Amino acid sequence: MIRSTTLLLMAALSLIMSAIATQAANFKIASLPFSPITVPGTYVAVSDLSYTAQTGAAITISANLSGPVVLNLKGHTLTGSAGIPLTNNSSDGVFINGSGPSLSTITIENGTITNFDAGIFVNCNNASGVVGNALSGIDINHIAFSFALSIGGGVDVVFANDVVSSTIRNCIFTESDVGIQSQSAGGNRFTNNTFSNVSEFLLLLLGQNISSPVVLDDSRFEAPTN
């Protein structure tokens, strides 16, 4: 009886240790570019970071990973090379790219993203528009965006192609061409955001899988000053 109990305890301990070992790892981001993120885990900026290239992305995240990804800027700023005077800059602060369906969530939180052509660009490679192959579960929370400016027109957040059931909340958008551009409504929710001196607050484009409505609520808008 004692031996059986011991074996059961050892088996339970082995399962616990295995679960701990497979938990998402934690990573520090100390320089840019940082890419690609292909392993679930929490990624934390350790300081303000600059990205000087005018193409590519400061941070790239592969979508459709097996576990959650959290990008926590920890109050720091990602700064690109766009801004005034306007340039042909096409860089992204954070680029999320992949095919659906999503297996887990991606969260970007707690910081500032400024001077990129696109602050956060989420792209789903579901060109055929197959229902069920969309990216979902993107959560952008407590990010301050500014100076998404370029000759072609900068955007703070882009949901391209087939991004559904995702959230942008508690964010601040200032001094940009476009605040949010969403090609596919698909149940996306934009809540408790502030838009100030942004030429277009929300740009909705005809996309795929638009049977569910987009929700815009509890947000504040200030007209551009020029």
Side-chain angles (χ1 to χ4, degrees):
M1 182 67 178
I2 295 176
R3 179 177 174 81
S4 297
T5 302
T6 301
L7 289 174
L8 288 173
L9 288 174
M10 291 178 63
L13 180 60
S14 177
L15 288 173
I16 292 172
M17 295 303 294
S18 177
I20 292 174
T22 56
Q23 278 184 342
N26 293 286
F27 302 90
K28 294 181 179 180
I29 300 178
S31 62
L32 300 175
F34 189 90
S35 62
I37 292 175
T38 58
V39 176
T42 298
Y43 295 77
V44 180
V46 298
S47 65
D48 294 344
L49 299 170
S50 295
Y51 182 73
T52 58
Q54 294 201 353
T55 59
I59 299 173
T60 301
I61 303 174
S62 297
N64 201 14
L65 300 182
S66 59
V69 169
V70 176
L71 172 58
N72 189 345
L73 298 182
K74 210 72 174 179
H76 296 300
T77 299
L78 298 184
T79 302
S81 59
I84 301 173
L86 297 182
T87 67
N88 281 316
N89 179 33
S90 61
S91 63
D92 303 323
V94 179
F95 181 52
I96 301 171
N97 185 56
S99 302
S102 295
L103 300 179
S104 194
T105 59
I106 297 175
T107 300
I108 303 170
E109 61 185 8
N110 301 331
T112 298
I113 300 177
T114 183
N115 286 60
F116 289 93
D117 179 51
I120 297 175
F121 195 112
V122 185
N123 180 62
C124 177
N125 298 323
N126 184 23
S128 60
V130 177
V131 175
N133 284 354
L135 292 182
S136 60
I138 310 297
D139 182 28
I140 301 170
N141 184 27
H142 283 292
I143 298 291
F145 298 93
S146 61
F147 292 104
L149 303 166
S150 72
I151 292 176
V155 186
D156 287 315
V157 180
V158 179
F159 284 171
N161 296 324
D162 211 0
V163 180
V164 302
S165 301
S166 295
T167 305
I168 302 173
R169 56 195 175 100
N170 308 312
C171 293
I172 298 173
F173 302 84
T174 59
E175 302 287 349
S176 299
D177 293 328
V178 179
I180 300 171
Q181 177 179 312
S182 180
Q183 187 174 351
S184 176
N188 294 323
R189 190 178 190 96
F190 312 132
T191 184
N192 197 36
N193 299 300
T194 299
F195 301 82
S196 177
N197 204 26
V198 176
S199 298
E200 294 183 82
F201 305 129
L202 175 61
L203 180 60
L204 295 178
L205 303 177
L206 182 62
Q208 304 157 353
N209 294 335
I210 56 175
S211 58
S212 300
V214 63
V215 176
L216 175 67
D217 61 359
D218 195 24
S219 294
R220 291 159 293 285
F221 305 91
E222 297 178 13
T225 57
N226 51 20

